Amino acid sequence: MQHRIVVLGAGYTGASAAGRLARRLRREDVAITLVNAEPDFVERVRMHQLAAGQDLTPRPLGEMFAGTGVELKAAKVTGVDADRRTVAVHGADGTEELAYDTLVYALGSGWKDQGVPGAAEHAHEIAGRAGALRARERLAGLEAGRPVLVVGGGLTGLEAATELAEARPDLEVALAAHGGLGDWLSPKGARHLRKVVDRLGITVHEHTTVTAVEADRVTTADGTSLPAAVTVWTTGFAVHPIAGATTLETGETGQIVVDGTMRSVSHPDVYAIGDAALAMGAGGKPLRMSCASGIPTAWQAADAIAARLTGGKLPDMPLRYFNQCISLGRKEGLIQFVTADDRAVGAAMTGRFAAVYKELVCKGAAWGVANPTMGIPTRRRRVAPRPAAAAPAVRTPA
Ligand SMILES: Cc1cc2nc3c(=O)[nH]c(=O)nc-3n(C[C@H](O)[C@H](O)[C@H](O)COP(=O)(O)OP(=O)(O)OC[C@H]3O[C@@H](n4cnc5c(N)ncnc54)[C@H](O)[C@@H]3O)c2cc1C
């Protein structure tokens, strides 16, 4: 009987894991099903570009997985029963239940309004394609001189504000940051960021907490009103509530708690990867929601599943960071080198070269999804037969 592996989510991590498993295991021995709500692979790291009006390369999952043996299912996951080992999905064929022997949970994350009044109604999010397309339409309809406020001074906020200011120099783009502008960066990185932000004419409101959002303005903690014909909300990501509604052990964030092989600590036949996983990185710090750490978790999970099924050696690749790659529009970038646990070191790459580097990283991430063993030839291994269920004890009559 084939071992049924169901992978939920075909983003950077789920698609990588499904493809890698298909290249590691003999086709006769496994049935790999990849479930995704959308028919395309979405390059989430480019959602600020989409919002700013750029067109992205279409990447149909059907083409990416043609000939791999992975069965694609275009459907929305509505629930997981980790005790019965089933997943409920809703697609063109209605609602159905998929049974699994091994589950890989990779549903990613969406935006987080942090309960700020008015944010859900009035702010635009760019954490996924639907939100980015809505923001794009709204921004395209804005006349020159209108104010746009990006809320959030993290990596996504910086990328969004600079991208918009570069694409639409006729708009008044501002950024509201909780702390100082790029205050986690090295002095070189922070200097460069400020130079680019100034050059693009972005107004920065530092040490500013937005407490309410209306259709044409936001209010800050000190009562200031900032004009915003469009508010773009980038204050962090939150996972979908599906895992939290199961008996799987999850953290406060709703992410599935996993061990070093990305295996659920409560349910050994479940693995979680990418944004959906609460995995520890260097120094015992939880990995942040990012492609940079998410893709290695996909490789780790796929290799661990393959090893456990074939009797091979478990992978022990350290999950660490090397750099933060930040686009600052299409012509500028900032590559901040970091320690294994993601703290900035002195070295940073800036300018046009950094922009090209970041573009190559984005292209490489998409290429890696379609080539999940990074072009290295692999041997498909046999799945070891499962030990027969222990025979029931035979009672002998007394
Ligand atoms: C604008 C922006 C810029 C970013 N830039 C960077 C960057 O420069 N570097 C970096 O490292 N990270 C960056 N990130 C973060 C990065 O995109 C995420 O951390 C990464 O995509 C997580 O990968 P994932 O596979 O866990 O989830 P995702 O890529 O989100 O994939 C999840 C998949 O699951 C599907 N899905 C979700 N719910 C359901 C459901 N109920 N049923 C069926 N399918 C479902 C989705 O359609 C999607 O295909 C950025 C994010 C954004 C929004």
Side-chain angles (χ1 to χ4, degrees), residues 142-163:
L142 277 191
E143 319 86 69
R146 302 279 281 149
V148 174
L149 179 70
V150 176
V151 180
L155 300 172
T156 310
L158 297 179
E159 293 200 324
T162 49
E163 198 76 49

Side-chain angles (χ1 to χ4, degrees), residues 174-375:
L175 175 74
H178 203 54
L181 181 68
D183 55 7
W184 72 92
L185 298 167
S186 64
K188 180 181 176 187
R191 258 196 322 273
H192 183 71
L193 173 63
R194 204 168 281 277
K195 198 170 81 184
V196 175
V197 161
D198 286 349
R199 199 190 299 144
L200 289 169
I202 299 170
T203 305
V204 183
H205 304 282
E206 293 176 275
H207 309 288
T208 297
T209 304
V210 172
T211 52
V213 184
E214 291 171 59
D216 59 352
R217 77 197 64 218
V218 306
T219 308
T220 67
D222 66 2
T224 308
S225 176
L226 302 175
V230 175
T231 300
V232 180
W233 199 262
T234 68
T235 61
F237 303 134
V239 295
H240 305 293
I242 293 173
T246 66
T247 54
L248 287 161
E249 184 170 332
T250 53
E252 275 175 22
T253 52
Q255 291 166 300
I256 297 172
V257 183
V258 293
D259 66 13
T261 64
M262 304 301 125
R263 192 182 212 181
S264 154
V265 294
S266 60
H267 292 69
D269 36 26
V270 177
Y271 291 72
I273 53 178
D275 289 1
L278 185 57
M280 295 302 153
K285 275 168 58 177
L287 296 174
R288 75 181 148 87
M289 294 189 194
S290 68
C291 264
S293 53
I295 292 174
T297 67
W299 297 339
Q300 187 92 322
D303 292 355
I305 293 167
R308 288 191 171 113
L309 288 179
T310 61
K313 190 171 167 295
L314 280 176
D316 60 354
M317 181 179 54
L319 297 167
R320 55 152 303 160
Y321 293 93
F322 295 96
N323 51 35
Q324 294 176 3
C325 301
I326 313 169
S327 66
L328 302 172
R330 293 301 86 203
K331 303 187 193 92
E332 269 289 353
L334 169 59
I335 310 301
Q336 174 63 62
F337 294 97
V338 296
T339 56
D341 63 348
D342 210 24
R343 285 169 295 124
V345 298
M349 193 195 296
T350 59
R352 180 120 197 114
F353 193 59
V356 173
Y357 185 103
K358 170 74 200 250
E359 178 56 24
L360 288 175
V361 167
C362 292
K363 282 205 169 96
W367 179 85
V369 170
N371 298 274
T373 55
M374 308 310 276

Side-chain angles (χ1 to χ4, degrees), residues 46-56 126 132-141 160 163-164 166-168 171 330:
R46 294 191 191 272
M47 289 303 103
H48 55 297
Q49 295 175 235
L50 188 66
Q54 291 161 42
D55 293 324
L56 306 183
I126 55 167
L133 285 173
R134 275 193 297 273
R136 173 191 176 107
E137 197 184 332
R138 179 79 183 94
L139 288 160
E163 198 76 49
L164 290 173
E166 186 189 88
R168 291 290 306 272
L171 297 175
R330 293 301 86 203

